[in-house]
Amino acid sequence: MKILVATEKPFAPVAVDGIRQVIEEGGHELVLLERGTHDDLVAAVSDVAGLIVRSDKVDKEVFDAAPQLKVVVRAGAGYDNIDLAEATAHGVCVMNTPGQNANAVAELVMGMLVTLIRNRYNGTSGTELLGKSLGIHAYGAVGRNVARIAKGFGMKVSALDPFVADDVMIADGIKPVHSVEELYSQNQYVSLHIPANDQTRRSVTRALIESMPKKGVLINAARKEVIDEEGLAQALASREDLRYVADVKPDNFAELEEKFGERVLFTPKKMGAQTAEANINAGLAAAHQVVAHLLDGWNKFQVNR
Ligand code: 3PG
């Protein structure tokens, strides 16, 4: 059967080689579509049984064009790019690959934070992370990796996650907190790791951002949709000490860069998971999952049950 790997942002070549090997050893054929448009994706799915994507949009148009499609694996964590209701309506299993790219995202979070607080290495004196407070908004795979690295910097780490028991955080040396108000008002640095869904969209409000302590920095390597963008702009305008770092730049990024200059820092494209290691981990996991599903319906990480 044909398995399409469609990545607008391509995997490292070494990861593609590994994916090809897993697919061929499973008795299937790899079809590769890199840097394609949505129209290219729609055209490419007509005869495939499996589909591997990253943040590529998989919507009704794609499912309608793919009569043989049985499984879609998002090589990564967030699956807000996939229309789950349409997948279910078309009888397609959707899975993600939890945790496989988490360390890469976490390392980028800390790297961007250091870049910001060292004033982009422009020759002036910056500040240090040792002894400073970091609040982690959602203690999933990425949040846990951020906590591990932040503890190495000597930071005081707290986390908010209603789905994680306090004793799990305490065992990791993390202080559990139980409200967003507490998380934002008590930590100079806050790193966002919530998914984008109906509960979280625009949930990081002006009031929360303005409640951050002096010289607060909000870091977003999650999704741009979780921030109230106008509220963010208002908070940055009303509090000259606040700063914002994002691997997922907001729609109003040009306005923010113009108004707030070096107080904001954005990657040109989402780069958190873009390491050879994360590409290999997530890409190979995705390939194994597609092959296993086509073999016997394996669906351990199904997200549209
Ligand atoms: C994820 O949800 O796994 C990350 O946001 C990485 O996304 P990407 O595969 O598009 O880089």
Side-chain angles (χ1 to χ4, degrees), residues 9 54-55 74-78 101 223 270 273:
K9 189 172 57 194
R54 296 182 64 175
S55 292
R74 190 285 192 243
N101 58 20
R223 290 292 182 271
K270 186 164 60 149

Side-chain angles (χ1 to χ4, degrees), residues 54-186:
R54 296 182 64 175
S55 292
D56 310 81
K57 198 171 176 140
V58 185
D59 55 12
K60 180 175 189 316
E61 218 186 327
V62 175
F63 288 112
D64 283 347
Q68 297 172 36
L69 188 62
K70 295 187 172 57
V71 56
V72 176
V73 177
R74 190 285 192 243
Y79 43 84
D80 46 309
N81 52 317
I82 301 176
D83 188 328
L84 298 187
E86 281 299 327
T88 304
H90 286 76
V92 176
C93 169
V94 180
M95 291 188 267
N96 65 351
T97 64
Q100 298 289 352
N101 58 20
N103 180 64
V105 179
E107 289 191 11
L108 187 89
V109 164
M110 300 310 288
M112 289 187 78
L113 182 54
V114 171
T115 301
L116 183 87
I117 66 170
R118 289 301 186 94
N119 305 332
R120 296 166 160 85
Y121 319 115
N122 68 0
T124 64
S125 295
T127 56
E128 300 182 19
L129 293 175
L130 179 68
K132 306 287 169 40
S133 56
L134 172 70
I136 298 183
H137 193 166
Y139 200 59
V142 182
R144 285 169 208 225
N145 276 282
V146 170
R148 172 180 54 78
I149 301 168
K151 283 197 299 172
F153 276 94
M155 300 186 83
K156 292 181 279 192
V157 185
S158 307
L160 170 71
D161 196 321
F163 302 104
V164 178
D166 284 5
D167 52 6
V168 171
M169 293 186 197
I170 292 165
D172 288 349
I174 307 301
K175 180 184 162 204
V177 300
H178 302 104
S179 71
V180 279
E181 289 77 14
E182 191 183 353
L183 189 81
Y184 283 71
S185 66
Q186 295 188 2

Side-chain angles (χ1 to χ4, degrees), residues 211-224:
S211 76
M212 292 181 73
K214 204 166 164 38
K215 297 200 168 157
V217 179
L218 179 60
I219 310 139
N220 185 1
R223 290 292 182 271
K224 67 183 168 73

Side-chain angles (χ1 to χ4, degrees), residues 37-52:
T37 63
H38 187 257
D39 285 348
D40 294 333
L41 175 57
V42 171
V45 292
S46 63
D47 58 351
V48 304
L51 172 62
I52 294 172

